[in-house]
Amino acid sequence: SVTPRLVQISERNEFSLHVEFDDNSEAVFGLFDHQRQLADFRRIWQHATENGRLLANINLIPRRNIPVTFRSPAPRKAMVVEE
């Protein structure tokens, strides 16, 4: 799967940034240690995708126990089965 594309970055407060992506997920980044935070985002996003989950929100400031919330995938469409 392709990592979502960044749509918008805004200042959340004096020590963090709010980032929105084109798949409707959102992330909070600290002002420092961006390489680690981006690596964590990619790893967690890929793991979620491989397990059929969609990220809603993620806070990448903590180094461990990163808070993540998921959203429900779109409901599957019913299939007509001929008897």
Side-chain angles (χ1 to χ4, degrees):
S1 295
V2 177
T3 306
R5 293 173 53 120
L6 187 138
V7 173
Q8 181 175 337
I9 300 175
S10 55
E11 185 178 331
R12 184 170 173 243
N13 53 37
E14 64 274 0
F15 60 86
S16 66
L17 302 171
H18 178 256
V19 180
E20 297 175 36
F21 297 93
D22 66 350
D23 69 347
N24 296 318
S25 60
E26 300 177 346
V28 174
F29 283 83
L31 297 180
F32 305 101
D33 203 12
H34 291 133
Q35 283 189 314
R36 191 244 339 138
Q37 292 175 76
L38 286 169
D40 287 346
F41 176 80
R42 281 189 214 106
R43 183 176 39 82
I44 293 166
W45 184 87
Q46 184 172 8
H47 182 4
T49 301
E50 289 170 357
N51 288 286
R53 301 188 83 180
L54 302 170
L55 288 182
N57 298 296
I58 184 169
N59 183 338
L60 294 153
I61 296 173
R63 291 180 177 273
R64 298 178 62 174
N65 299 320
I66 296 170
V68 177
T69 57
F70 299 96
R71 56 188 157 92
S72 300
R76 293 185 174 182
K77 293 183 179 180
M79 280 182 27
V80 176
V81 178
E82 303 278 336
E83 287 191 48

